Amino acid sequence: MRHSLLALLLASALLGLASYGSSSVLAVENFSLLPADDDVFWMDTLDNQYLVLAHRDADRITIWDIPTGLELFSIDTPAPACVLARGTKVYVANYAGGVSVYDGAQEWKEVARIKVGAENVSYLSAPGGKAFTGHLLAMCDVEKERKQLALIDTKAKKSMLMGGVDTMSIATVDFDGKGYIIQGTTGSPSRAIRGIKSWPLLLAGRDSPFVDGRYDTLPFLRQIHSSSWWFGGAMLCKGLPPVPVPVSDRSLQFIVGDRAKALAYGLTPENLTALELKGNLKPVEIRQSKFPPEYTRFDGKTHINSRETEMFDFQHVAITMEDKLHLFVYDGLQKQVYSLTTDAFEGDDLRIRPEFPGFASKATKQPPAEGVPRAGGVPPAESKPAAPLRTWSDLTGNFKVEARFGGVIDGKVKLIRADGRETLVPIEKLSPVDQGYLEGLKAQR
C-alpha cells in the first residue's frame, strides 16, 4: 500500500513538473531582415511612426511605415550618407555635397538645398523637440585625416564653416540644445570625449571653449528624447557631460533606447532584456531572441571583442506603439536592417503629442463625421458610414495592421487606424486577399 502511494505521489509530481516545464517554455522572438532593395547607410525615425532609410549608393531615401514594415515612399536625392528627421521634415546629408530638406506635409517636395562650403557631408546632428530651431551641426570628410564642422541654418538656407577635427571624431548636439560633445580618436573600441561646447553660443555666432574636466572613453553617443540618457554600444550614460551608469548585466552586447517609453533594451545572441531607465537600471523582463545566421554582430570571427562598439550603434531604433514594441537593428558591415515586433514591455510612457497626423494631403483628409458642420458652419449634405476595421497584411504575411479603408490615392490605399493615424500603402505591396478586397470595393461602386 505504501509503495503504491509513493508511486502515485511520484507520478503526480513528475506530471506536475512536466506541465510546469511545458507551460514555462518561452517562445523565441525572431529578428528578420527588413526587405530594403538597396544598401542602408543610415536610419532615423520620423514622428515616432515612420522609419527613414538612406541608400547612398542608390541615390535615394525611403520612408517606411513602422507598424506594417512596408515601404511607403522613395525619394531621389544625391548620395544620401545620413538622414535626420524632425517634425514633418527629413534633412539629408548628401555626400556629393550639400544638405537637402524634404517635407512630408508637402508630398515630399524638396523645400531647401543648402550648400555647405565643404564636400562630403557625412553626419548631421541637432536638438530635438521644442529645442529644434532648424539649425544643424554637420560634419564633412574633407581630407583623409581631417573632418570639417559646419553650422547650417535651414530656414535662412545658409551655412558657416567651423574648425576642423580629427578624422575619427564626431560632434553630437544634446536633445535639449544645451551643448554639443566632440568625441575624438583616442580609445579602442570607444572614443574619448574631447570636450563640450555651448550650442546657444554657437547659434549666437560665438565660439566657446571646451568645458574643462576629465572625460571617460565612451562609445559614440546620441540622445533620443529629453531624459538626459545617452545611448551607444553596450553602455548607458546620463547628463552633460555624459557619465556612465553601471549596467549589472555585463553580457549585454549593445543597448537600444525606446523612443516612447522609459525603457532600454539590451541584446545578446540569445536574449532581449528590458531595462527600466531609472537610477538602478532594473531589468523589467527577459525574453529569448534570435538573429538570422547572416547577422554579423555576434560573429566571433568578425568581432573578436563581444562588447566591441561600432559608430553605427546609436542608429538602432526601438519604439513602442500601442501594444507592440518595434525594434530595428542596423548591421553596419552588411548595410542592412534587422527588425523584430513583439508585445510591449511594461514601462512609463514618454510619448509626446504627435507633431503632425501622418502624410495625407489636405485634399485627402477624412470628411467630418455626421452632424459635424464643415468649414463655414454648413452641415454636410450626406455622410457615409465609416468603413469597418479589418486586418491588412503585406505580401509576405509578416506585417499586419488593424485599420479602416480610407480610399485610393495615386495607386496607394489609405489605411486609417483606430487612433485616427493615416498611412498610405502601395497596393502592389498588399497581400492577395487585401488586393481582392479592394477589387470588391471597386466593383460595388
Side-chain angles (χ1 to χ4, degrees):
M1 179 71 176
R2 179 178 300 177
H3 291 294
S4 300
L5 180 60
L6 288 174
L8 179 61
L9 290 174
L10 180 60
S12 300
L14 290 174
L15 180 61
L17 181 61
S19 300
Y20 173 81
S22 62
S23 63
S24 63
V25 174
L26 299 177
V28 178
E29 309 282 359
N30 290 302
F31 281 82
S32 60
L33 182 65
L34 191 73
D37 294 331
D38 303 297
D39 287 348
V40 178
F41 281 78
W42 211 273
M43 67 179 181
D44 198 7
T45 57
L46 183 65
D47 191 37
N48 282 343
Q49 183 178 355
Y50 304 96
L51 189 70
V52 186
L53 304 182
H55 310 281
R56 192 178 78 178
D57 293 343
D59 295 321
R60 71 185 185 121
I61 64 173
T62 53
I63 314 294
W64 298 68
D65 182 59
I66 288 178
T68 62
L70 294 175
E71 180 185 323
L72 303 180
F73 301 95
S74 177
I75 306 163
D76 294 335
T77 189
C82 176
V83 289
L84 182 71
R86 293 289 185 271
T88 65
K89 298 181 177 68
V90 174
Y91 302 85
V92 181
N94 295 312
Y95 201 73
V99 171
S100 296
V101 185
Y102 299 91
D103 193 346
Q106 299 187 42
E107 299 181 350
W108 293 113
K109 175 183 176 182
E110 184 182 54
V111 295
R113 181 171 292 191
I114 303 106
K115 293 183 178 180
V116 178
E119 296 181 353
N120 305 333
V121 185
S122 59
Y123 178 65
L124 298 174
S125 182
K130 295 180 180 179
F132 180 65
T133 58
H135 292 85
L136 311 175
L137 187 62
M139 184 163 285
C140 309
D141 301 335
V142 292
E143 297 177 9
K144 182 179 180 181
E145 301 296 333
R146 198 74 170 164
K147 290 193 176 186
Q148 178 77 53
L149 288 176
L151 177 65
I152 301 173
D153 185 342
T154 61
K155 293 182 179 178
K157 300 181 182 180
K158 62 181 182 180
S159 65
M160 177 185 70
L161 291 180
M162 299 161 55
V165 292
D166 297 332
T167 183
M168 288 301 294
S169 292
I170 194 168
T172 305
V173 188
D174 80 309
F175 191 89
D176 293 325
K178 297 177 181 178
Y180 61 99
I181 64 174
I182 296 179
Q183 293 183 254
T185 58
T186 56
S188 178
S190 303
R191 302 289 178 249
I193 295 181
R194 295 179 55 220
I196 302 170
K197 290 198 171 190
S198 168
W199 180 249
L201 284 179
L202 180 61
L203 297 187
R206 299 166 53 193
D207 194 9
S208 56
F210 281 131
V211 175
D212 294 332
R214 181 178 178 181
Y215 304 104
D216 293 285
T217 298
L218 304 172
F220 286 123
L221 298 172
R222 183 173 70 168
Q223 287 189 313
I224 57 175
H225 39 56
S226 181
S227 66
S228 75
W229 289 95
W230 295 79
F231 301 91
M235 187 180 294
L236 286 174
C237 299
K238 196 173 186 181
L240 191 67
V243 177
V245 179
V247 179
S248 59
D249 188 350
R250 294 285 297 173
S251 69
L252 302 181
Q253 292 181 235
F254 61 94
I255 300 173
V256 189
D258 196 313
R259 300 188 180 216
K261 283 193 171 184
L263 295 173
Y265 308 101
L267 285 122
T268 70
E270 297 85 19
N271 293 319
L272 168 64
T273 302
L275 302 170
E276 192 175 39
L277 284 183
K278 294 183 179 179
N280 57 359
L281 295 173
K282 176 185 175 182
V284 176
E285 184 181 344
I286 300 176
R287 298 177 187 172
Q288 290 182 295
S289 62
K290 184 179 181 180
F291 283 84
E294 59 271 20
Y295 179 65
T296 65
R297 179 59 181 260
F298 304 131
D299 185 352
K301 297 179 181 178
T302 305
H303 296 275
I304 299 176
N305 180 357
S306 63
R307 293 174 60 83
E308 180 180 357
T309 64
E310 299 179 6
M311 177 176 177
F312 303 106
D313 274 336
F314 59 39
Q315 287 195 57
H316 307 317
V317 169
I319 174 70
T320 297
M321 300 178 65
E322 298 177 357
D323 60 346
K324 296 294 181 181
L325 165 66
H326 304 275
L327 188 58
F328 299 90
V329 173
Y330 181 63
D331 189 328
L333 294 180
Q334 291 184 322
K335 300 290 188 295
Q336 292 178 330
V337 178
Y338 292 85
S339 66
L340 169 69
T341 298
T342 182
D343 292 337
F345 293 84
E346 292 294 329
D348 295 338
D349 199 343
L350 296 175
R351 194 185 315 272
I352 61 174
R353 185 178 180 86
E355 297 183 62
F356 68 105
F359 293 126
S361 66
K362 294 181 180 179
T364 62
K365 294 293 185 183
Q366 281 293 99
E370 184 176 359
V372 178
R374 295 179 185 270
V378 180
E382 182 180 356
S383 180
K384 296 181 180 180
L389 277 171
R390 63 184 300 273
T391 301
W392 302 76
S393 61
D394 73 335
L395 288 170
T396 67
N398 294 327
F399 303 100
K400 299 180 180 180
V401 63
E402 293 287 328
R404 306 179 193 276
F405 171 74
V408 176
I409 306 165
D410 296 330
K412 299 182 179 68
V413 59
K414 181 168 71 171
L415 303 181
I416 307 172
R417 299 174 199 161
D419 62 1
R421 286 178 174 263
E422 300 174 0
T423 301
L424 291 173
V425 179
I427 293 176
E428 68 270 15
K429 293 184 177 293
L430 292 173
S431 69
V433 172
D434 292 331
Q435 293 188 35
Y437 176 78
L438 294 177
E439 287 295 326
L441 291 178
K442 184 178 179 180
Q444 294 175 14
R445 296 176 184 174

